[in-house]
Coordinates of all heavy atoms in Angstrom, one line a residue:
M1 N -16.9 66.1 -9.7 CA -18.0 66.5 -10.3 C -17.8 67.9 -11.1 O -17.0 68.7 -10.4 CB -19.2 66.6 -9.3 CG -20.4 67.2 -9.9 SD -21.8 67.6 -8.8 CE -21.1 69.1 -8.0
I2 N -18.3 68.1 -12.1 CA -18.2 69.3 -12.8 C -19.6 69.9 -13.0 O -20.5 69.3 -13.5 CB -17.7 69.1 -14.2 CG1 -16.2 68.4 -14.1 CG2 -17.5 70.5 -15.1 CD1 -15.8 67.8 -15.5
E3 N -19.7 71.2 -12.5 CA -21.0 71.9 -12.5 C -20.9 73.1 -13.4 O -19.9 74.0 -13.2 CB -21.4 72.3 -11.2 CG -22.6 73.1 -11.0 CD -23.0 73.4 -9.6 OE1 -22.8 72.6 -8.6 OE2 -23.3 74.6 -9.4
V4 N -21.5 73.2 -14.5 CA -21.5 74.4 -15.5 C -22.8 75.1 -15.5 O -23.8 74.5 -15.6 CB -21.1 73.8 -16.9 CG1 -21.1 75.0 -17.8 CG2 -19.9 72.9 -16.9
R5 N -22.7 76.4 -15.2 CA -23.9 77.2 -15.3 C -23.5 78.4 -16.1 O -22.6 79.1 -16.0 CB -24.1 77.7 -13.9 CG -25.4 78.5 -13.7 CD -25.9 78.9 -12.4 NE -24.9 79.9 -11.8 CZ -24.9 81.1 -12.0 NH1 -25.9 81.7 -12.8 NH2 -24.1 82.0 -11.4
Q6 N -24.4 78.5 -17.2 CA -24.3 79.7 -18.1 C -24.7 81.0 -17.4 O -25.9 81.0 -16.8 CB -25.1 79.5 -19.3 CG -24.8 80.6 -20.4 CD -25.4 80.3 -21.8 OE1 -25.6 79.2 -22.1 NE2 -25.5 81.3 -22.6
S7 N -23.9 81.9 -17.3 CA -24.2 83.2 -16.5 C -24.5 84.3 -17.4 O -25.0 85.3 -16.9 CB -23.1 83.5 -15.6 OG -21.9 83.6 -16.2
A8 N -24.3 84.2 -18.7 CA -24.5 85.4 -19.6 C -24.6 84.9 -21.0 O -23.8 83.9 -21.5 CB -23.5 86.5 -19.5
G9 N -25.6 85.4 -21.8 CA -25.6 85.0 -23.2 C -24.9 86.0 -24.0 O -24.1 86.8 -23.5
G10 N -25.2 86.1 -25.3 CA -24.6 87.1 -26.2 C -23.2 86.6 -26.6 O -23.0 85.5 -26.8
D11 N -22.4 87.6 -26.9 CA -21.0 87.2 -27.5 C -20.0 88.1 -26.8 O -19.9 89.3 -26.9 CB -21.0 87.7 -29.0 CG -19.9 87.1 -29.7 OD1 -19.0 86.5 -29.1 OD2 -19.8 87.3 -31.0
P12 N -19.3 87.3 -25.9 CA -19.2 85.9 -25.8 C -20.3 85.4 -24.8 O -20.7 86.2 -23.9 CB -17.8 85.7 -25.3 CG -17.5 86.9 -24.4 CD -18.2 88.1 -25.0
L13 N -20.5 84.1 -24.9 CA -21.2 83.4 -23.8 C -20.3 83.3 -22.6 O -19.1 83.3 -22.7 CB -21.5 82.0 -24.2 CG -22.4 81.9 -25.6 CD1 -22.4 80.4 -26.0 CD2 -23.8 82.4 -25.4
K14 N -20.9 83.4 -21.4 CA -20.1 83.2 -20.1 C -20.6 82.2 -19.2 O -21.8 82.0 -19.1 CB -20.1 84.7 -19.4 CG -19.2 84.7 -18.2 CD -19.2 86.2 -17.7 CE -18.5 86.4 -16.4 NZ -18.6 87.7 -15.9
F15 N -19.7 81.4 -18.6 CA -20.0 80.3 -17.8 C -19.3 80.3 -16.4 O -18.1 80.8 -16.4 CB -19.7 79.0 -18.6 CG -20.3 78.8 -19.9 CD1 -19.7 79.3 -21.0 CD2 -21.5 78.2 -20.0 CE1 -20.2 79.3 -22.2 CE2 -22.1 78.0 -21.2 CZ -21.5 78.5 -22.3
E16 N -20.0 79.9 -15.4 CA -19.3 79.6 -14.1 C -19.2 78.2 -14.0 O -20.2 77.5 -14.1 CB -20.2 80.4 -13.1 CG -20.2 81.8 -13.2 CD -21.1 82.5 -12.2 OE1 -21.6 81.8 -11.3 OE2 -21.2 83.7 -12.3
V17 N -18.0 77.7 -13.6 CA -17.8 76.3 -13.5 C -17.3 76.0 -12.1 O -16.3 76.7 -11.7 CB -16.7 75.8 -14.7 CG1 -16.5 74.3 -14.5 CG2 -17.3 76.2 -16.0
V18 N -17.6 75.0 -11.5 CA -17.3 74.5 -10.2 C -16.8 73.1 -10.4 O -17.6 72.3 -11.0 CB -18.2 74.6 -9.1 CG1 -17.8 74.1 -7.8 CG2 -18.7 76.0 -9.0
V19 N -15.6 72.8 -10.0 CA -15.0 71.3 -10.1 C -14.9 71.0 -8.6 O -14.1 71.6 -7.9 CB -13.7 71.3 -10.9 CG1 -13.2 69.9 -11.0 CG2 -13.9 71.9 -12.3
R20 N -15.6 69.9 -8.2 CA -15.5 69.3 -6.9 C -15.0 68.0 -6.9 O -15.2 67.1 -7.8 CB -16.8 69.4 -6.3 CG -17.4 70.7 -5.9 CD -18.7 70.5 -5.1 NE -19.2 71.8 -4.9 CZ -20.2 72.5 -5.7 NH1 -20.7 71.8 -6.7 NH2 -20.7 73.5 -5.3
D21 N -14.1 67.7 -5.9 CA -13.7 66.3 -5.6 C -13.5 66.2 -4.1 O -13.8 67.1 -3.4 CB -12.5 65.9 -6.3 CG -11.2 66.7 -6.1 OD1 -11.2 67.4 -5.1 OD2 -10.3 66.6 -6.9
T22 N -12.9 65.1 -3.6 CA -12.8 64.9 -2.1 C -11.8 65.9 -1.6 O -11.9 66.1 -0.3 CB -12.4 63.5 -1.9 OG1 -11.2 63.2 -2.6 CG2 -13.4 62.4 -2.2
A23 N -10.9 66.4 -2.3 CA -10.0 67.4 -1.9 C -10.5 68.8 -1.8 O -9.8 69.8 -1.3 CB -8.7 67.4 -2.7
G24 N -11.7 69.1 -2.2 CA -12.2 70.5 -2.3 C -12.9 70.8 -3.7 O -13.2 70.0 -4.5
E25 N -12.8 72.1 -3.9 CA -13.4 72.6 -5.1 C -12.6 73.8 -5.7 O -11.8 74.5 -5.0 CB -14.9 73.0 -4.9 CG -15.1 74.4 -4.2 CD -16.5 74.7 -4.1 OE1 -17.4 73.8 -3.9 OE2 -16.9 75.9 -4.1
T26 N -12.7 73.9 -7.0 CA -12.1 75.1 -7.7 C -13.2 75.8 -8.5 O -14.2 75.2 -9.0 CB -11.0 74.8 -8.6 OG1 -11.5 73.9 -9.6 CG2 -9.8 74.2 -7.9
R27 N -13.1 77.1 -8.7 CA -14.1 77.9 -9.4 C -13.4 78.5 -10.7 O -12.3 79.0 -10.5 CB -14.8 78.9 -8.5 CG -15.6 78.2 -7.5 CD -16.3 79.2 -6.5 NE -17.2 78.5 -5.6 CZ -18.4 78.2 -5.9 NH1 -19.0 78.5 -6.9 NH2 -19.1 77.6 -4.8
H28 N -14.2 78.5 -11.7 CA -13.6 79.1 -13.0 C -14.7 79.8 -13.7 O -15.9 79.6 -13.6 CB -13.2 77.8 -13.8 CG -12.4 76.9 -13.2 ND1 -11.0 76.9 -13.1 CD2 -12.7 75.8 -12.3 CE1 -10.5 75.9 -12.4 NE2 -11.5 75.2 -12.0
V29 N -14.2 80.9 -14.5 CA -15.1 81.6 -15.4 C -14.5 81.4 -16.7 O -13.4 81.6 -17.1 CB -15.0 83.2 -15.0 CG1 -15.9 83.9 -16.1 CG2 -15.6 83.4 -13.6
V30 N -15.4 80.9 -17.6 CA -15.1 80.5 -19.0 C -16.0 81.3 -20.0 O -17.2 81.4 -19.8 CB -15.3 79.1 -19.3 CG1 -14.9 78.7 -20.7 CG2 -14.5 78.3 -18.3
T31 N -15.3 81.9 -21.0 CA -16.0 82.6 -22.0 C -15.9 81.8 -23.3 O -14.9 81.0 -23.5 CB -15.6 84.0 -22.3 OG1 -14.2 84.0 -22.5 CG2 -15.9 84.9 -21.0
M32 N -16.8 81.9 -24.2 CA -16.8 81.2 -25.5 C -17.7 82.0 -26.5 O -18.9 82.2 -26.3 CB -17.4 79.8 -25.4 CG -17.3 79.0 -26.7 SD -17.8 77.3 -26.5 CE -19.3 77.2 -25.6
A33 N -17.1 82.4 -27.6 CA -17.8 83.1 -28.7 C -18.7 82.1 -29.2 O -18.4 80.8 -29.4 CB -16.9 83.6 -29.7
P34 N -20.0 82.5 -29.7 CA -20.8 81.6 -30.4 C -20.2 81.0 -31.6 O -20.4 79.8 -31.9 CB -22.1 82.5 -30.8 CG -22.1 83.6 -29.8 CD -20.5 83.7 -29.4
A35 N -19.3 81.7 -32.2 CA -18.6 81.1 -33.4 C -17.7 80.0 -33.0 O -17.6 78.9 -33.7 CB -17.9 82.2 -34.1
T36 N -17.0 80.0 -31.8 CA -16.2 79.0 -31.3 C -17.0 77.8 -31.0 O -16.7 76.6 -31.3 CB -15.4 79.5 -30.1 OG1 -14.6 80.6 -30.4 CG2 -14.5 78.5 -29.5
H37 N -18.2 78.0 -30.3 CA -19.1 76.9 -30.0 C -19.5 76.1 -31.3 O -19.5 74.9 -31.4 CB -20.4 77.4 -29.4 CG -21.5 76.4 -29.3 ND1 -22.6 76.6 -29.8 CD2 -21.6 75.3 -28.5 CE1 -23.4 75.5 -29.7 NE2 -22.7 74.7 -28.8
Q38 N -19.8 76.9 -32.4 CA -20.2 76.3 -33.6 C -19.0 75.5 -34.2 O -19.2 74.4 -34.7 CB -20.7 77.4 -34.7 CG -21.3 76.8 -35.9 CD -22.4 76.0 -35.7 OE1 -23.2 76.2 -34.9 NE2 -22.7 75.1 -36.7
E39 N -17.9 76.1 -34.2 CA -16.6 75.4 -34.7 C -16.4 74.0 -33.9 O -16.1 73.1 -34.5 CB -15.5 76.4 -34.6 CG -14.1 75.8 -34.9 CD -13.0 76.7 -34.7 OE1 -13.2 77.9 -34.9 OE2 -11.9 76.1 -34.2
L40 N -16.6 74.2 -32.6 CA -16.2 72.9 -31.8 C -17.3 71.8 -31.8 O -16.9 70.7 -31.8 CB -16.0 73.4 -30.3 CG -14.9 74.3 -30.0 CD1 -14.9 74.7 -28.6 CD2 -13.5 73.5 -30.4
T41 N -18.6 72.2 -32.0 CA -19.6 71.2 -31.9 C -20.5 71.1 -33.2 O -21.4 70.3 -33.2 CB -20.5 71.5 -30.7 OG1 -21.3 72.7 -31.0 CG2 -19.8 71.7 -29.4
A42 N -20.3 72.0 -34.0 CA -21.3 72.1 -35.4 C -22.7 72.2 -34.8 O -23.6 71.7 -35.5 CB -21.0 70.9 -36.1
G43 N -22.9 72.8 -33.7 CA -24.3 73.0 -33.2 C -24.9 71.7 -32.7 O -26.2 71.8 -32.3
Q44 N -24.2 70.6 -32.6 CA -24.9 69.4 -32.1 C -25.0 69.3 -30.7 O -25.8 68.4 -30.1 CB -24.1 68.2 -32.7 CG -24.1 68.1 -34.2 CD -23.3 66.9 -34.6 OE1 -22.9 66.1 -33.9 NE2 -23.2 66.8 -36.0
Y45 N -24.2 70.1 -29.9 CA -24.3 70.0 -28.5 C -24.4 71.4 -27.9 O -24.0 72.3 -28.5 CB -23.0 69.4 -27.8 CG -22.8 67.9 -28.3 CD1 -22.0 67.8 -29.5 CD2 -23.3 67.0 -27.7 CE1 -21.8 66.4 -29.9 CE2 -23.1 65.6 -28.0 CZ -22.4 65.4 -29.2 OH -22.3 64.1 -29.7
S46 N -25.0 71.5 -26.6 CA -25.2 72.9 -26.1 C -24.0 73.4 -25.6 O -22.9 72.8 -25.5 CB -26.1 72.7 -24.9 OG -25.4 72.2 -23.8
P47 N -23.9 74.8 -25.6 CA -22.6 75.4 -25.1 C -22.0 75.0 -23.8 O -20.9 74.7 -23.6 CB -23.0 77.0 -25.0 CG -24.1 77.0 -26.1 CD -24.9 75.8 -26.0
A48 N -23.0 74.7 -22.9 CA -22.7 74.2 -21.5 C -22.1 72.8 -21.6 O -21.1 72.5 -20.9 CB -23.9 74.2 -20.6
K49 N -22.6 71.9 -22.5 CA -22.1 70.5 -22.7 C -20.7 70.6 -23.2 O -19.8 69.9 -22.8 CB -23.0 69.8 -23.5 CG -22.5 68.5 -24.1 CD -22.7 67.3 -23.0 CE -22.2 66.0 -23.6 NZ -22.1 65.0 -22.5
C50 N -20.5 71.6 -24.2 CA -19.1 71.8 -24.7 C -18.1 72.2 -23.6 O -17.0 71.7 -23.6 CB -19.2 72.9 -25.8 SG -17.7 73.2 -26.7
V51 N -18.5 73.1 -22.8 CA -17.7 73.6 -21.7 C -17.4 72.4 -20.7 O -16.2 72.2 -20.3 CB -18.2 74.8 -20.9 CG1 -17.4 75.1 -19.7 CG2 -18.3 75.9 -21.9
E52 N -18.4 71.6 -20.3 CA -18.2 70.5 -19.4 C -17.2 69.5 -20.1 O -16.3 68.9 -19.4 CB -19.5 69.8 -19.2 CG -19.4 68.5 -18.4 CD -20.6 67.6 -18.3 OE1 -21.7 68.1 -18.8 OE2 -20.5 66.5 -17.8
A53 N -17.4 69.2 -21.5 CA -16.4 68.2 -22.2 C -15.1 68.8 -22.1 O -14.1 68.1 -21.9 CB -16.9 68.1 -23.5
A54 N -14.9 70.0 -22.2 CA -13.5 70.6 -22.3 C -12.9 70.5 -20.8 O -11.8 70.1 -20.7 CB -13.6 72.1 -22.6
F55 N -13.7 70.7 -19.8 CA -13.1 70.4 -18.4 C -12.8 69.0 -18.2 O -11.8 68.7 -17.5 CB -14.1 70.9 -17.4 CG -13.9 72.3 -17.0 CD1 -14.3 73.4 -17.8 CD2 -13.1 72.7 -15.8 CE1 -14.0 74.8 -17.5 CE2 -12.8 74.0 -15.5 CZ -13.3 74.9 -16.4
R56 N -13.6 68.0 -18.7 CA -13.3 66.6 -18.5 C -12.0 66.4 -19.4 O -11.1 65.7 -18.8 CB -14.4 65.7 -19.0 CG -15.6 65.7 -18.1 CD -16.6 64.7 -18.2 NE -17.4 64.9 -19.5 CZ -17.3 64.1 -20.6 NH1 -16.6 63.0 -20.5 NH2 -18.0 64.4 -21.7
F57 N -11.8 66.9 -20.5 CA -10.5 66.8 -21.3 C -9.4 67.4 -20.4 O -8.4 66.7 -20.2 CB -10.6 67.6 -22.6 CG -9.3 67.7 -23.3 CD1 -8.9 66.9 -24.3 CD2 -8.6 68.8 -23.1 CE1 -7.8 67.0 -25.0 CE2 -7.3 69.1 -23.8 CZ -7.0 68.0 -24.7
L58 N -9.6 68.5 -19.8 CA -8.5 69.2 -19.1 C -8.2 68.4 -17.8 O -7.0 68.2 -17.5 CB -8.8 70.6 -18.7 CG -9.0 71.6 -19.9 CD1 -9.6 72.9 -19.3 CD2 -7.6 71.9 -20.5
L59 N -9.1 67.9 -17.2 CA -8.9 67.1 -16.0 C -8.3 65.9 -16.2 O -7.5 65.3 -15.2 CB -10.3 66.9 -15.2 CG -10.8 68.2 -14.5 CD1 -12.3 67.9 -14.2 CD2 -10.0 68.6 -13.4
D60 N -8.3 65.3 -17.4 CA -7.5 64.2 -17.7 C -6.0 64.4 -17.9 O -5.2 63.5 -18.1 CB -8.1 63.5 -19.0 CG -9.3 62.6 -18.8 OD1 -9.6 62.3 -17.6 OD2 -10.0 62.2 -19.8
R61 N -5.7 65.7 -18.0 CA -4.4 66.2 -18.2 C -3.6 66.9 -17.1 O -2.5 67.1 -17.1 CB -4.3 66.9 -19.5 CG -4.6 66.0 -20.7 CD -5.1 66.7 -22.0 NE -5.3 65.8 -23.0 CZ -6.4 64.9 -23.1 NH1 -7.2 64.8 -22.2 NH2 -6.4 64.0 -24.2
E62 N -4.4 67.6 -16.2 CA -4.0 68.3 -15.1 C -4.9 68.3 -13.9 O -6.1 68.1 -14.2 CB -3.6 69.7 -15.6 CG -4.8 70.5 -16.2 CD -4.4 71.8 -16.8 OE1 -3.8 72.7 -16.0 OE2 -4.6 72.0 -18.0
P63 N -4.4 68.6 -12.8 CA -5.3 68.7 -11.6 C -6.2 70.0 -11.8 O -5.8 70.9 -12.4 CB -4.3 68.8 -10.4 CG -2.9 68.7 -10.9 CD -2.9 68.7 -12.4
K64 N -7.3 69.9 -11.1 CA -8.2 71.0 -11.2 C -7.5 72.3 -10.7 O -7.9 73.3 -11.2 CB -9.4 70.7 -10.4 CG -9.3 70.7 -8.9 CD -10.6 70.3 -8.1 CE -10.6 70.3 -6.6 NZ -9.3 69.6 -6.0
E65 N -6.7 72.2 -9.8 CA -6.1 73.5 -9.3 C -5.1 74.2 -10.3 O -4.8 75.3 -10.2 CB -5.2 73.2 -8.0 CG -6.0 72.8 -6.8 CD -6.5 71.2 -6.8 OE1 -6.0 70.6 -7.7 OE2 -7.3 70.8 -6.0
Q66 N -4.7 73.4 -11.4 CA -3.8 74.0 -12.4 C -4.6 74.6 -13.5 O -4.0 75.3 -14.4 CB -2.8 72.9 -12.9 CG -1.8 72.8 -11.8 CD -0.7 71.8 -12.4 OE1 -0.7 71.3 -13.5 NE2 0.3 71.4 -11.5
I67 N -5.9 74.3 -13.5 CA -6.7 74.9 -14.7 C -7.0 76.4 -14.4 O -7.2 76.8 -13.2 CB -8.2 74.2 -14.8 CG1 -7.9 72.7 -15.1 CG2 -9.1 74.8 -15.8 CD1 -9.2 71.9 -15.0
L68 N -6.8 77.3 -15.4 CA -6.8 78.6 -15.2 C -8.2 79.0 -14.6 O -9.3 78.5 -14.9 CB -6.7 79.4 -16.6 CG -5.3 79.2 -17.3 CD1 -5.4 79.8 -18.6 CD2 -4.2 79.8 -16.4
A69 N -8.3 80.0 -13.7 CA -9.4 80.5 -13.1 C -10.4 81.3 -14.1 O -11.5 81.1 -14.0 CB -9.0 81.5 -11.9
R70 N -9.8 81.8 -15.1 CA -10.5 82.5 -16.2 C -9.8 82.2 -17.5 O -8.7 82.4 -17.5 CB -10.5 84.1 -15.9 CG -11.1 84.6 -14.6 CD -11.1 86.0 -14.5 NE -12.1 86.7 -15.2 CZ -13.3 86.9 -14.8 NH1 -13.6 86.6 -13.6 NH2 -14.2 87.4 -15.6
F71 N -10.7 81.8 -18.5 CA -10.1 81.7 -19.8 C -11.2 81.6 -20.8 O -12.4 81.4 -20.5 CB -9.3 80.4 -19.9 CG -10.0 79.0 -19.6 CD1 -10.5 78.4 -20.8 CD2 -10.2 78.5 -18.4 CE1 -11.1 77.2 -20.6 CE2 -10.8 77.3 -18.2 CZ -11.3 76.6 -19.3
D72 N -10.8 81.7 -22.0 CA -11.7 81.6 -23.2 C -11.4 80.3 -23.8 O -10.3 79.8 -23.9 CB -11.5 82.8 -24.1 CG -12.6 82.8 -25.3 OD1 -13.6 83.4 -25.0 OD2 -12.4 82.1 -26.3
M73 N -12.5 79.6 -24.3 CA -12.4 78.4 -24.8 C -11.5 78.4 -26.0 O -10.8 77.3 -26.3 CB -13.8 77.8 -25.3 CG -14.6 77.3 -24.2 SD -14.2 75.8 -23.4 CE -14.8 74.8 -24.8
A74 N -11.3 79.4 -26.7 CA -10.4 79.4 -27.8 C -8.9 79.3 -27.5 O -8.1 79.0 -28.4 CB -10.6 80.8 -28.6
V75 N -8.6 79.4 -26.3 CA -7.2 79.3 -25.9 C -6.7 77.8 -25.6 O -5.6 77.5 -25.6 CB -6.7 80.2 -24.6 CG1 -7.0 81.6 -25.0 CG2 -7.3 79.6 -23.5
V76 N -7.7 77.0 -25.4 CA -7.4 75.5 -25.0 C -6.6 74.9 -26.0 O -5.6 74.2 -25.7 CB -8.7 74.8 -24.7 CG1 -8.4 73.3 -24.4 CG2 -9.4 75.4 -23.5
P77 N -6.9 75.0 -27.4 CA -6.0 74.3 -28.3 C -4.6 74.9 -28.3 O -3.6 74.2 -28.8 CB -6.7 74.7 -29.7 CG -8.0 75.0 -29.4 CD -8.1 75.6 -28.0
H78 N -4.3 76.0 -27.9 CA -3.0 76.7 -27.8 C -2.2 75.9 -26.8 O -1.0 75.7 -26.9 CB -3.0 78.1 -27.6 CG -3.7 78.9 -28.6 ND1 -3.1 79.1 -29.7 CD2 -4.8 79.5 -28.7 CE1 -4.0 79.9 -30.6 NE2 -5.0 80.1 -29.8
Y79 N -2.8 75.5 -25.6 CA -2.1 74.7 -24.5 C -2.0 73.2 -24.9 O -1.1 72.5 -24.6 CB -2.9 74.9 -23.2 CG -2.8 76.3 -22.7 CD1 -3.7 77.2 -22.9 CD2 -1.6 76.6 -21.9 CE1 -3.5 78.5 -22.4 CE2 -1.5 77.9 -21.4 CZ -2.5 78.9 -21.6 OH -2.4 80.2 -21.0
Y80 N -3.1 72.7 -25.6 CA -3.2 71.3 -25.9 C -3.6 71.1 -27.3 O -4.7 71.2 -27.7 CB -4.3 70.7 -25.0 CG -3.9 70.6 -23.6 CD1 -4.5 71.6 -22.7 CD2 -3.0 69.7 -23.1 CE1 -4.1 71.5 -21.4 CE2 -2.7 69.7 -21.7 CZ -3.3 70.6 -20.9 OH -2.9 70.7 -19.5
P81 N -2.6 71.0 -28.2 CA -2.8 70.9 -29.7 C -3.8 69.8 -30.1 O -4.4 69.8 -31.1 CB -1.4 70.7 -30.3 CG -0.6 71.2 -29.2 CD -1.1 71.0 -27.9
D82 N -3.9 68.7 -29.2 CA -4.8 67.6 -29.6 C -6.2 67.9 -29.2 O -7.1 67.0 -29.3 CB -4.2 66.4 -28.9 CG -4.2 66.3 -27.4 OD1 -4.3 67.4 -26.8 OD2 -4.3 65.2 -26.9
F83 N -6.6 69.0 -28.6 CA -7.9 69.3 -28.1 C -8.9 69.2 -29.2 O -10.0 68.5 -28.9 CB -7.9 70.8 -27.5 CG -9.3 71.2 -26.9 CD1 -9.9 70.5 -25.9 CD2 -10.0 72.1 -27.6 CE1 -11.2 70.8 -25.5 CE2 -11.3 72.5 -27.2 CZ -11.8 71.9 -26.1
L84 N -8.8 69.8 -30.3 CA -9.8 69.7 -31.4 C -10.1 68.3 -31.8 O -11.2 67.9 -32.1 CB -9.3 70.7 -32.5 CG -9.3 72.2 -32.2 CD1 -8.8 72.8 -33.3 CD2 -10.6 72.6 -31.7
A85 N -8.9 67.5 -31.9 CA -9.2 66.1 -32.3 C -9.8 65.2 -31.3 O -10.6 64.3 -31.6 CB -7.8 65.5 -32.7
K86 N -9.5 65.5 -30.0 CA -10.0 64.7 -28.9 C -11.4 65.1 -28.4 O -12.2 64.4 -27.8 CB -9.1 64.7 -27.7 CG -7.7 64.2 -28.0 CD -7.7 62.8 -28.0 CE -6.1 62.3 -28.2 NZ -6.0 60.9 -28.2
L87 N -11.9 66.3 -28.7 CA -13.0 66.9 -28.0 C -14.3 66.0 -28.4 O -15.1 65.7 -27.5 CB -13.3 68.4 -28.4 CG -14.5 68.9 -27.8 CD1 -14.5 69.0 -26.2 CD2 -14.7 70.4 -28.2
P88 N -14.4 65.6 -29.7 CA -15.6 64.8 -30.0 C -15.8 63.6 -29.1 O -16.9 63.2 -28.8 CB -15.4 64.4 -31.4 CG -14.6 65.5 -31.9 CD -13.6 65.9 -30.8
S89 N -14.8 63.0 -28.7 CA -14.9 61.7 -27.8 C -15.4 62.2 -26.4 O -16.0 61.4 -25.7 CB -13.6 60.9 -27.7 OG -12.6 61.7 -27.0
Y90 N -15.1 63.4 -26.0 CA -15.6 63.9 -24.6 C -17.1 64.4 -24.8 O -17.7 64.5 -23.8 CB -14.7 65.0 -24.1 CG -13.3 64.5 -23.6 CD1 -12.2 64.3 -24.5 CD2 -13.2 64.1 -22.3 CE1 -11.1 63.7 -24.0 CE2 -12.0 63.6 -21.8 CZ -10.9 63.5 -22.7 OH -9.7 63.0 -22.3
L91 N -17.4 64.8 -26.0 CA -18.8 65.3 -26.1 C -19.8 64.0 -26.3 O -20.9 64.2 -26.0 CB -18.9 66.1 -27.4 CG -18.3 67.5 -27.3 CD1 -18.1 68.2 -28.7 CD2 -19.2 68.4 -26.4
A92 N -19.3 62.9 -27.0 CA -20.1 61.8 -27.2 C -20.7 61.3 -25.9 O -20.0 61.2 -24.9 CB -19.4 60.7 -27.9
P93 N -22.0 60.9 -25.9 CA -22.5 60.2 -24.8 C -21.7 58.9 -24.3 O -21.4 58.1 -25.2 CB -24.0 59.9 -25.1 CG -24.2 60.6 -26.3 CD -22.9 60.9 -27.0
S94 N -21.6 58.8 -23.0 CA -20.9 57.5 -22.7 C -21.8 56.4 -22.2 O -22.9 56.5 -22.0 CB -19.9 57.9 -21.5 OG -20.4 58.8 -20.6

């Protein structure tokens, strides 16, 4: 389960994320500039939904324990060049 809570507005937006499974939980702090949110979603999805989709993308590629404890959403494409192309499928309702 991925729980995303926006903890600060402004620039950047700040989120607290908890990822839980049967083995336990990890906690993460994620920032995202409003401009990055616009670039990633064209305003079609909330910032929290965008962060949740990014975590689902990351969890398909690495265990929760390997996801950085603190990061900005703008760094994800540096680690995963296919992130921008794949994100829309993680944002789309299933």
Side-chain angles (χ1 to χ4, degrees):
M1 178 188 71
I2 303 166
E3 180 183 316
V4 178
R5 185 175 69 79
Q6 186 169 341
S7 58
D11 191 355
L13 304 168
K14 185 175 178 183
F15 303 86
E16 294 175 6
V17 181
V18 179
V19 180
R20 289 187 183 92
D21 62 18
T22 57
E25 72 178 35
T26 58
R27 294 180 176 270
H28 311 268
V29 175
V30 179
T31 55
M32 178 171 55
T36 301
H37 169 248
Q38 184 65 27
E39 177 185 321
L40 294 174
T41 70
Q44 294 182 7
Y45 299 93
S46 72
K49 173 77 173 170
C50 183
V51 171
E52 179 193 350
F55 267 80
R56 290 192 292 114
F57 170 89
L58 291 169
L59 289 166
D60 279 350
R61 287 152 181 81
E62 61 185 295
K64 68 185 184 312
E65 294 81 7
Q66 289 185 358
I67 297 173
L68 297 172
R70 299 180 80 85
F71 66 92
D72 188 87
M73 286 284 287
V75 304
V76 178
H78 296 287
Y79 290 96
Y80 294 99
D82 63 336
F83 176 69
L84 297 177
K86 301 277 186 181
L87 183 63
S89 66
Y90 286 88
L91 285 165
S94 36

